[in-house]
């Protein structure tokens, strides 16, 4: 099969299309002919050697997210058959014509979606649901501030928060404000020209928001704490602005009853990942059908041979939503 292989860590040009061995199907695996694969920030970190090893433990091939058709299955698989259209999260191996996936990490693709849009769902929507609903316990009537709202997880989080009935504040680049509002943000904030903490204080009459979902890290931490209401929850999903060290007056945590929660899918146990997929599937999967459906946000699609260009697009931070790799364009519908 054709796949993207890493001969060395480095710039996007290290991504090379080459021949690779077909994956071996284990008892709990589906073997999937991949038609589309999502590009994620973790892929950039992987490519640069940021994880300190060449793979995610399940494949030496890069990539975490697939959409395609089942062509074989292991003896322990339940609920899937050969021929099914599936999408899901893999432990590496997505940038390839064939990939194996633990069936408990897979979901059936809603009938109305093609493979490109399906590949834009698993990683970002599962992560957004976990942060918003499971960890932050967002409910109708709450208010939430979502950073990096035009990105993959951010754009998913805005939609889920809106669908939950929350008031949504969202930060993004000024050129993307209208798009973020279209996704469901009540107030879109240009992070380059406005201080989001000041906007929150003004819009909420000093109360603050119930939940903050942050992907930036240290540069936003103090203002995130300031923007929280009594009993508020900060969920740290990423550190795009750098990790570093942060400080907070413990009195704020104590007397304002605040909670600071960290989450990342990659370091979860396999059973925890299964539970994350199940929670998302049961709560939201049928909402990708119908007139008021959730919207997989696709920024752009590149053929597998142009994986380096897809990475450059993500590194530019100009994308709104997901960047997708396609394997067989004639079969995408």
């Amino acid at each position: 099969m054709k796949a993207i292989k890493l001969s060395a860590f480095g710039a996007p040009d290290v991504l090379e299309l080459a021949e690779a061995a077909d994956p071996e199907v284990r008892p709990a695996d589906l073997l999937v002919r991949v038609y589309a694969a999502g590009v994620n920030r973790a892929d950039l970190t992987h490519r640069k050697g940021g994880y300190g090893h060449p793979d995610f433990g399940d494949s030496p091939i890069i990539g975490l997210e697939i959409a395609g058709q089942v062509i074989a299955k292991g003896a322990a698989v339940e609920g899937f058959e050969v021929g099914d259209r599936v999408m899901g999260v893999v432990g590496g191996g997505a940038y390839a014509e064939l990939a194996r996936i633990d069936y408990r990490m897979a979901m059936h693709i809603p009938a109305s979606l093609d493979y490109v849009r399906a590949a834009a769902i698993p990683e970002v929507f599962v992560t957004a649901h976990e942060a918003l609903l499971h960890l932050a316990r967002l409910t109708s009537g709450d208010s939430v501030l979502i950073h990096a709202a035009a990105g993959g997880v951010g754009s998913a989080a805005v939609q889920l928060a809106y669908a939950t009935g929350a008031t949504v504040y969202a930060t993004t680049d000024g050129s993307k404000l209208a798009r973020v509002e279209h996704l469901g943000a009540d107030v879109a904030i240009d992070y380059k020209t406005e201080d989001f903490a000041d906007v929150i204080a003004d819009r909420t009459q000093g109360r603050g928001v119930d939940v903050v979902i942050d992907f930036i890290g240290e540069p936003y931490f103090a203002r995130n704490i300031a923007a929280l209401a009594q009993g508020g929850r900060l969920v740290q999903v990423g550190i795009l602005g750098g990790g570093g060290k942060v400080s907070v007056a413990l009195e704020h945590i104590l007397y304002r009853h605040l909670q600071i929660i960290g989450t990342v899918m990659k370091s979860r146990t396999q059973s925890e990942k299964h539970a994350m997929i199940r929670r998302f599937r049961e709560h939201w999967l049928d909402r990708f059908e119908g007139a008021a459906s959730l919207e997989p946000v696709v920024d752009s699609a590149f053929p597998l041979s142009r994986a380096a260009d897809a990475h450059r697009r993500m590194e530019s931070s100009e994308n709104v939503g997901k960047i997708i790799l396609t394997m067989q364009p004639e079969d995408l519908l």
Side-chain angles (χ1 to χ4, degrees):
M1 68 174 183
K2 296 288 188 182
I4 295 295
K5 302 182 78 172
L6 287 175
S7 57
F9 295 130
D13 289 337
V14 303
L15 300 175
E16 300 175 347
L17 186 65
E19 288 292 331
D22 292 356
E24 180 181 346
V25 180
R26 300 161 302 192
D29 284 338
L30 304 172
L31 182 62
V32 176
R33 183 169 302 284
V34 179
Y35 293 131
V39 177
N40 292 283
R41 287 278 172 185
D43 301 346
L44 308 188
T45 302
H46 184 177
R47 190 200 76 222
K48 297 173 184 176
Y51 297 121
H53 51 78
D55 61 68
F56 280 87
D58 204 33
S59 172
I61 297 169
I62 192 171
L64 300 174
E65 186 174 33
I66 63 169
Q69 189 170 37
V70 177
I71 59 173
K73 67 174 188 172
V77 169
E78 299 176 0
F80 294 92
E81 300 296 338
V82 171
D84 286 353
R85 299 193 321 139
V86 297
M87 59 187 180
V89 178
V90 296
Y95 289 21
E97 292 178 314
L98 299 175
R100 66 184 182 187
I101 181 171
D102 183 323
Y103 79 94
R104 293 157 294 192
M105 298 294 291
M107 296 173 280
H108 290 96
I109 296 175
S112 63
L113 296 183
D114 59 31
Y115 288 115
V116 167
R117 288 185 293 164
I121 292 174
E123 184 81 20
V124 295
F125 275 93
V126 170
T127 299
H129 171 82
E130 193 72 7
L132 278 171
L133 281 301
H134 184 65
L135 296 175
R137 307 179 307 282
L138 188 76
T139 61
S140 179
D142 281 348
S143 54
V144 58
L145 169 63
I146 298 169
H147 291 301
V153 181
S155 61
V158 169
Q159 292 186 71
L160 297 188
Y162 173 79
T164 300
T167 299
V168 183
Y169 301 87
T171 64
T172 190
D173 181 88
S175 64
K176 303 173 184 178
L177 294 174
R179 182 62 173 143
V180 169
E181 289 172 343
H182 168 76
L183 294 173
D186 296 281
V187 179
I189 303 166
D190 183 347
Y191 73 92
K192 292 182 177 179
T193 62
E194 300 176 275
D195 185 317
F196 65 82
D198 289 344
V199 173
I200 295 296
D202 179 65
R203 291 280 186 153
T204 65
Q205 292 76 53
R207 176 188 179 274
V209 293
D210 300 293
V211 173
V212 174
I213 304 296
D214 183 44
F215 309 88
I216 307 303
E218 186 274 335
Y220 280 12
F221 184 79
R223 285 181 290 162
N224 284 338
I225 295 296
L228 283 172
Q230 187 88 351
R233 289 85 71 196
L234 166 61
V235 181
Q236 197 70 47
V237 184
I239 47 173
L240 296 177
K245 296 182 178 180
V246 297
S247 61
V248 60
L250 289 178
E251 290 82 359
H252 287 310
I253 304 296
L254 189 66
Y255 295 116
R256 292 170 57 201
H257 307 287
L258 304 182
Q259 298 178 51
I260 302 172
I261 306 165
T263 182
V264 62
M265 186 186 294
K266 185 179 77 67
S267 60
R268 297 286 188 94
T269 66
Q270 200 63 18
S271 62
E272 288 173 329
K273 292 177 182 178
H274 297 165
M276 291 173 69
I277 295 291
R278 183 179 66 253
R279 285 191 286 265
F280 167 77
R281 182 185 67 238
E282 292 174 352
H283 198 107
W284 295 110
L285 192 56
D286 62 354
R287 296 287 294 274
F288 287 90
E289 304 273 15
S293 62
L294 296 171
E295 176 186 354
V297 182
V298 176
D299 172 79
S300 50
F302 295 82
L304 184 62
S305 60
R306 292 181 57 201
D309 289 334
H311 276 222
R312 292 187 187 99
R313 174 68 179 173
M314 179 164 281
E315 289 179 333
S316 76
S317 295
E318 294 178 357
N319 60 297
V320 176
K322 293 286 291 188
I323 299 166
I324 304 297
L325 295 175
T326 62
M327 282 54 175
Q328 297 188 21
E330 69 275 15
D331 293 329
L332 288 180
L333 298 180

